[in-house]
Amino acid sequence: MPFSALRRLLVGGIMATLVSSLLPWSSALAEDAKTVRIGYQKFNSINILKGTGALEKALAPLGVKVSWHEFAAGPQLLEALSTGAIDLGHAADAPSVFAQAANKPVIYLAAEQPYPRGIGLVVREQDYLTSVQDLKGKRVATGRGWNAQYLLAVALQQAGLSYKDITPAYVNNAADAVAALQSGSVQAATLWDPFLAAAQSQPGLKNLRDGSGLSNNRTFYLSTTSFADKHRDLLKTFFSELSKVSQWANAKPDEVAALLAPQLGINADVLQVASERRNYNAVAITPQIIAEQQRLADTFEGLGLIAHKLQVADAVYPVSLLP
């Protein structure tokens, strides 16, 4: 079996979790969280963790089940998190800032490594656009609060343009952005992996600009203070299993692609391209990462897309949950 190596790797962690079944949080958890509800989007370390079944095995001795909830993009996931429909999940940098700006009770638990090549501005070759400057006066499909919307904003700034120099065509998901581009109703679309990798594989489409030098495009793991305070040890188990899967994913992008292709309905070759340019390892929220997010928040405020100044540090959970 292609994932036997991963399963062997997980045995040690599973056995360690069995030993921990008498932890003091287990009885409290049984009363108010017999099922932990996790939100995910296509193609992420949480998505990979779901595919392996490792978290279910680690939590089974404690009588805790896992339910998985897929979302089209970060804004929808964070809305569900803020309303109590899920307990934790992941989202990119921009949706996380917009959630805080909307006073949603979500908090940063950890971050992923930079992933600048995982976002892009995609155009059609037949439109002969060769630089970001060529987007002046054009319609661009993007989403409100997307990580790739931030790329669009800062790429325009670097090119000596402003957000007002393009006409944003707001869509709700990546599929709609690609459809608008292919139909010619827009001249560019902002995308993220794996949708970016899929678009790059299509004849006639090309990536005009990725995030290199402009955005670190980090994924963040988020929850609420109330859940984190009650279930720190559960979250530590989650991050422990996530760490094992992430290390495997970094070393075996081809196996990641084979694992996710059936459940995502995306070609394994596309997923491998996206996985090879990503580092899945979670890291603690550092002052540097907070400063990155603050620059992002300040940029959106300057564009008038966020109504007031916010302090990113206020939404960072003060306790490290990483192994």
Side-chain angles (χ1 to χ4, degrees):
M1 298 177 67
F3 307 108
S4 59
L6 172 63
R7 293 190 174 95
R8 287 195 299 269
L9 177 64
L10 294 174
V11 168
I14 295 168
M15 293 305 295
T17 307
L18 287 169
V19 175
S20 69
S21 60
L22 295 179
L23 284 170
W25 58 273
S26 60
S27 59
L29 185 64
E31 294 173 2
D32 62 1
K34 292 181 180 179
T35 299
V36 58
R37 303 161 300 169
I38 302 177
Y40 70 98
Q41 303 167 59
K42 291 182 185 295
F43 185 64
N44 181 267
S45 52
I46 292 183
N47 202 164
I48 298 169
L49 181 61
K50 173 183 180 291
T52 66
L55 186 60
E56 287 87 342
K57 293 178 182 177
L59 294 177
L62 304 171
V64 178
K65 297 181 180 180
V66 182
S67 64
W68 304 93
H69 305 266
E70 183 180 328
F71 294 87
Q76 295 94 320
L77 186 153
L78 292 175
E79 178 65 25
L81 180 61
S82 69
T83 59
I86 59 175
D87 300 310
L88 71 149
H90 68 89
D93 43 18
S96 303
V97 161
F98 273 84
Q100 184 183 4
N103 297 315
K104 297 186 185 300
V106 300
I107 54 167
Y108 298 95
L109 301 178
E112 266 191 17
Q113 303 280 358
Y115 187 22
R117 294 175 62 204
I119 47 176
L121 308 178
V122 178
V123 297
R124 301 190 304 175
E125 291 180 349
Q126 69 187 72
D127 291 329
Y128 300 105
L129 304 177
T130 60
S131 69
V132 175
Q133 286 91 337
D134 293 336
L135 295 180
K136 184 175 182 178
K138 302 296 192 296
R139 285 172 53 84
V140 181
T142 190
R144 298 180 188 274
W146 285 4
N147 53 342
Q149 185 192 26
Y150 177 66
L151 170 63
L152 173 63
V154 293
L156 289 169
Q157 289 177 350
Q158 186 188 60
L161 303 175
S162 76
Y163 200 75
K164 295 180 180 179
D165 286 317
I166 58 99
T167 300
Y170 289 112
V171 295
N172 292 321
N173 55 63
D176 289 346
V178 173
L181 178 61
Q182 292 176 323
S183 72
S185 64
V186 300
Q187 288 72 56
T190 69
L191 295 173
W192 66 96
D193 273 340
F195 309 106
L196 173 61
Q200 288 177 284
S201 71
Q202 296 184 29
L205 298 182
K206 67 176 182 179
N207 190 2
L208 190 66
R209 180 71 161 93
D210 67 20
S212 299
L214 293 175
S215 170
N216 274 338
N217 182 37
R218 292 185 191 270
T219 287
F220 289 90
Y221 301 95
L222 303 108
S223 184
T224 62
T225 299
S226 59
F227 185 84
D229 283 346
K230 290 180 182 178
H231 306 303
R232 287 181 185 175
D233 288 287
L234 184 152
L235 289 171
K236 287 180 179 179
T237 298
F238 166 79
F239 280 113
S240 177
E241 297 303 321
L242 190 73
S243 175
K244 298 169 190 174
V245 166
S246 297
Q247 291 175 34
W248 166 77
N250 288 335
K252 302 289 185 180
D254 55 334
E255 294 187 12
V256 170
L259 175 68
L260 296 184
Q263 60 175 295
L264 299 184
I266 297 176
N267 188 285
D269 291 341
V270 168
L271 292 174
Q272 184 167 345
V273 169
S275 193
E276 285 175 345
R277 58 193 182 198
R278 184 171 196 161
N279 183 332
Y280 293 96
N281 288 340
V283 295
I285 306 291
T286 64
Q288 176 188 350
I289 294 175
I290 293 174
E292 287 177 13
Q293 282 294 90
Q294 191 64 54
R295 286 194 295 272
L296 189 149
D298 293 345
T299 296
F300 279 125
E301 183 198 2
L303 294 173
L305 300 176
I306 288 179
H308 58 88
K309 187 172 182 62
L310 57 86
Q311 295 298 324
V312 170
D314 293 343
V316 177
Y317 193 61
V319 178
S320 175
L321 301 167
L322 298 180

